């Protein structure tokens, strides 16, 4: 049996170690993440995300469900639907979007499958 202290990961938004996310075509994007359990190979797991004011994500399609909780700030999807602090969001497998924030936001994100980059014209 694995000892609980060896199996536990705890992270906070004020912890050091957030890494700036590289997004194709968005070299100025101010988006940082801190991995909790996300596996890039499977596209499954969770991470903390910080988006600076005026930032957006790349357009992408979900091969599995994406869920996120907005802890702080605002987030608006490309179709104009806005999320705010306290919203828990679940986007079904096969859904496509990109999001932007006016004031910045803090998100807890969980993926249940990989994402595939798409062109904005595909939305």
């Amino acid at each position: 049996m694995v000892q609980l202290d060896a199996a536990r990961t705890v992270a906070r938004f004020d912890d050091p170690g957030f890494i700036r996310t590289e997004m194709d075509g968005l070299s100025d994007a101010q988006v940082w993440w801190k991995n909790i359990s996300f596996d890039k190979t499977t596209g499954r797991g969770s991470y903390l995300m910080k988006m600076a004011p005026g930032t957006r994500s790349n357009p992408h399609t979900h091969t599995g469900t994406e869920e996120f909780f907005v802890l702080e700030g605002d987030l608006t999807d490309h179709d104009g639907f806005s999320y705010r602090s306290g919203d828990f969001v679940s986007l079904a497998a096969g859904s496509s979007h990109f999001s932007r924030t006016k004031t910045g936001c803090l998100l807890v994100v969980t993926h249940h499958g990989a994402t595939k980059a798409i062109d904005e014209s595909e939305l």
Side-chain angles (χ1 to χ4, degrees), residues 24 56-62 78 94-98 115-123:
D24 292 337
R56 64 167 272 184
S57 65
N58 277 333
H60 57 277
T61 297
H62 300 281
H78 74 282
S95 62
S96 301
H97 72 127
F98 70 87
T115 59
K116 178 184 166 223
I118 60 171
D119 189 84
E120 197 168 324
S121 65
E122 296 178 63
L123 295 171

Side-chain angles (χ1 to χ4, degrees), residues 101-120:
T101 177
K102 289 181 184 177
T103 63
C105 62
L106 301 178
L107 307 170
V108 177
V109 183
T110 299
H111 288 273
H112 300 277
T115 59
K116 178 184 166 223
I118 60 171
D119 189 84
E120 197 168 324

